[in-house]
Amino acid sequence: MKTAKKLLSVLLVVLMAFGCASVALADTETEPNETAAEATSFTIAAPGKGVLATFDDVDWYKVNLGTSMGLATFSFTHDGAGTDQIYFKVSVFDDSVLTKGETDKNKVASFSVKGNHKKTSSSPVLIPGGDYYVKVETGTVSMTYEYQVSVSLDANLNTETEDNNDKSNADEIVGTNNSTSPVYYGAVDYSSTSDGDIDFYKFQAPTGYFQIDFAALVPGVKYTVSAYSIPGVNYEPQEICKFTVTTEDNGEEFYSSAEVGVSAGTYFIKVTADNCRHKNEDGHEENPSVTSNANYKLRVYAKSDSSTEAEYNDVKEYATPLTLGKAMFASISKSNDIDYFKLSVKDSDRAYKLTVYGSADSNPDTASWKVNILDSDANAIDDYKNITVDMSKPLEIDLNTFNAGTYYIQVTGNSVSTGNYVIKTEAYNSGATPTPDGNFFQRVWARIKALPWADFWNNNFRELVLHLGGESGQIDLNGDGRPDFNTGTFKVLYDLFQLSIGTIIKIFN
């Protein structure tokens, strides 16, 4: 059937016997090799070499790429003396092609080769090692060109090492102290007839926050990524972050998690993939025994920051304490995440204000949160239930009626499953204006605008003098039995505008 081709093969063997350098490094095809089961083996050091004798001829090759994860690039080389038409088609399959035949699920790479291109290569393919099968067939033009098929493997990657199916064998991600880690590659084996593979990683984080960047590399696979802490309760991992990533095309799908605030310690990442069962119109599985590798890559960024919440604060016992006047950065890092914060009110004569707002750099315009204020027994206070804050404007809540004691602030997600936000509490003397934000001049202008100008106008600005003079040292200037002014209006002006930079700054800080 392939007489001409066999003669060419014999010729190649003869050339090899005479020590032809260009052939000595290659494994020449051996007939028959028209199916994957009959494939001619080659290696990275010794590429496969052959020829297509007829238009319907097909050659199969087999290469073993070891047991380590790596990036494989398959290449096809020929004389390159033809035209700008497709002379060859090359497809690469994993070893399931032996039992399941050629499917889109076990095809890991494919490319076409033109007649005037001497060398054509596939895109780098992330593979978990094992046997791979290369199929060579004719394209739109049939030529008896001698060709060579080869593969290069970059195994010098940061990759998972099996068995990392539980946290005790987790692969360690390094370089996470105030920096971004290297990229780590992995592959989750999954099957519709089993629970599937699990990949665990661990990393060290300082007090502050971390973020996971994840890339899904296989179309149609739903990846689930979770992060865990061990807060000390029976040393059981507690889920503090969770998200899913799916890509429907041939490109990579990237996802960055919310910034998860944590205390210094060891944290774990778990990666799984859905079995991707495909069902027909009747709802029955078309291929219930699908098995494949869900390739992915990830990295972790961690940063020191004392102004972040510390997970696991999903219950009031682990509530993150709030410091008056200090902004706290926090996140809803999974769909059912709950953040608890603790506020200690020590003086009921002081007024308090709570501010919550979203981070525009990391949230969509539709992001929103729900806020509840609870008493010391974690019961919602009637006037402060299910208050919604969204990206359009900050939420400000006056807490002027609170008695001394401990209160809890509960934040949950609303319109999106994850998102970053800021929470801040302030305290000031009852009846006074809270310290505004901004630079010196912005704070001065905010205080001027906050003065009761309507009252001043209606009372011939007497209230302005009273406002400036204060309560102490007042005397009855009108003789009506009521103290009106401080001891001398000029003293009021002197007290306000005395030539002391420190005093002026104190007034407006």
Side-chain angles (χ1 to χ4, degrees):
M1 173 178 164
K2 299 172 69 175
T3 304
K5 185 171 178 180
K6 290 180 180 179
L7 290 175
L8 286 170
S9 298
V10 172
L11 178 60
L12 290 172
V13 173
V14 173
L15 290 172
M16 290 177 63
F18 281 94
C20 179
S22 63
V23 181
L25 296 178
D27 283 344
T28 304
E29 62 170 324
T30 56
E31 291 294 340
N33 65 340
E34 296 179 322
T35 65
E38 301 170 328
T40 298
S41 294
F42 72 98
T43 66
I44 294 177
K49 197 165 190 178
V51 64
L52 294 179
T54 62
F55 185 80
D56 59 350
D57 191 11
V58 176
D59 290 344
W60 280 86
Y61 297 88
K62 172 184 176 182
V63 61
N64 182 274
L65 298 180
T67 58
S68 299
M69 184 76 61
L71 283 174
T73 302
F74 293 86
S75 298
F76 189 94
T77 307
H78 66 88
D79 290 341
T83 64
D84 188 20
Q85 296 187 60
I86 296 174
Y87 280 42
F88 301 93
K89 292 192 297 184
V90 182
S91 303
V92 183
F93 301 87
D94 64 28
D95 58 4
S96 67
V97 71
L98 295 175
T99 56
K100 297 179 172 57
E102 302 173 34
T103 69
D104 289 337
K105 287 188 171 295
N106 56 30
K107 181 185 292 186
V108 298
S110 63
F111 56 94
S112 298
V113 181
K114 294 182 178 181
N116 58 1
H117 288 188
K118 291 185 177 182
K119 184 176 181 180
T120 307
S121 300
S122 70
S123 299
V125 181
L126 181 66
I127 54 94
D131 291 330
Y132 290 84
Y133 292 80
V134 181
K135 178 184 178 182
V136 180
E137 56 189 323
T138 55
T140 58
V141 177
S142 177
M143 294 294 291
T144 57
Y145 279 171
E146 186 179 290
Y147 65 80
Q148 182 172 290
V149 59
S150 60
V151 62
S152 61
L153 180 66
D154 181 5
N156 297 316
L157 303 172
N158 298 302
T159 64
E160 63 161 327
T161 56
E162 295 291 354
D163 293 319
N164 61 345
N165 289 354
D166 57 67
K167 70 179 190 299
S168 62
N169 293 319
D171 291 314
E172 185 166 7
I173 297 175
V174 299
T176 55
N177 187 13
N178 281 314
S179 62
T180 302
S181 76
V183 174
Y184 283 76
Y185 292 85
V188 183
D189 297 332
Y190 61 92
S191 171
S192 61
T193 58
S194 68
D195 293 334
D197 186 19
I198 300 174
D199 290 348
F200 269 96
Y201 300 85
K202 66 179 179 180
F203 65 93
Q204 302 297 318
T207 297
Y209 65 88
F210 70 81
Q211 179 175 301
I212 302 171
D213 295 330
F214 187 89
L217 303 180
V218 177
V221 175
K222 180 181 179 182
Y223 300 81
T224 300
V225 183
S226 303
Y228 296 85
S229 68
I230 301 180
V233 181
N234 299 323
Y235 297 99
E236 289 296 325
Q238 305 288 343
E239 186 180 75
I240 59 176
C241 176
K242 185 176 183 179
F243 58 88
T244 60
V245 186
T246 305
T247 178
E248 299 297 339
D249 52 33
N250 292 325
E252 297 180 358
E253 185 72 22
F254 291 93
Y255 185 90
S256 292
S257 74
E259 297 169 348
V260 185
V262 292
S263 301
T266 301
Y267 295 87
F268 295 87
I269 298 173
K270 182 176 77 171
V271 181
T272 60
D274 282 0
N275 56 38
C276 286
R277 300 178 182 179
H278 290 274
K279 297 183 178 181
N280 56 29
E281 294 179 355
D282 298 329
H284 297 97
E285 295 174 13
E286 296 177 346
N287 190 358
S289 59
V290 170
T291 302
S292 188
N293 297 312
N295 301 324
Y296 63 86
K297 58 184 179 181
L298 62 82
R299 65 183 181 182
V300 177
Y301 172 73
K303 181 175 177 57
S304 297
D305 192 336
S306 60
S307 301
T308 59
E309 65 166 330
E311 295 285 1
Y312 174 72
N313 63 343
D314 287 26
V315 292
K316 73 179 183 69
E317 286 76 15
Y318 289 101
T320 301
L322 291 174
T323 302
L324 291 175
K326 185 176 182 180
M328 179 72 67
F329 297 89
S331 67
I332 295 298
S333 52
K334 56 180 180 175
S335 58
N336 60 344
D337 188 15
I338 302 174
D339 292 342
Y340 278 89
F341 301 90
K342 183 166 63 175
L343 173 63
S344 297
V345 175
K346 298 180 179 180
D347 186 354
S348 58
D349 291 333
R350 305 187 76 193
Y352 292 82
K353 182 179 75 170
L354 170 69
T355 304
V356 182
Y357 58 92
S359 173
D361 294 335
S362 56
N363 295 306
D365 293 338
T366 57
S368 65
W369 300 262
K370 283 190 178 296
V371 178
N372 287 281
I373 301 180
L374 318 175
D375 61 21
S376 58
D377 295 323
N379 297 315
I381 300 174
D382 289 338
D383 293 338
Y384 305 98
K385 288 183 178 180
N386 291 326
I387 305 172
T388 300
V389 55
D390 57 39
M391 290 300 300
S392 63
K393 58 183 181 300
L395 170 68
E396 294 186 353
I397 305 175
D398 291 324
L399 311 177
N400 299 337
T401 60
F402 278 25
N403 296 320
T406 299
Y407 296 86
Y408 296 94
I409 301 165
Q410 180 196 72
V411 182
T412 58
N414 190 23
S415 65
V416 294
S417 59
T418 63
N420 301 325
Y421 64 93
V422 179
I423 183 170
K424 182 180 180 181
T425 53
E426 300 169 271
Y428 48 95
N429 291 331
S430 181
T433 303
T435 301
D437 295 326
N439 58 36
F440 173 79
F441 296 103
Q442 289 171 327
R443 295 197 301 271
V444 170
W445 179 242
R447 284 188 177 277
I448 292 173
K449 291 194 299 182
L451 292 173
W453 291 104
D455 292 340
F456 298 160
W457 178 266
N458 293 331
N459 293 278
N460 296 320
F461 287 93
R462 176 183 294 179
E463 296 296 330
L464 174 59
V465 179
L466 290 176
H467 184 85
L468 295 174
E471 296 292 335
S472 61
Q474 292 180 342
I475 60 174
D476 182 6
L477 296 180
N478 296 329
D480 58 3
R482 188 183 69 177
D484 293 322
F485 296 104
N486 203 321
T487 309
T489 302
F490 290 105
K491 180 180 183 300
V492 174
L493 297 177
Y494 173 77
D495 289 340
L496 179 62
F497 298 112
Q498 61 180 301
L499 299 178
S500 170
I501 299 300
T503 303
I504 294 176
I505 293 175
K506 182 177 180 181
I507 289 174
F508 295 109
N509 273 341

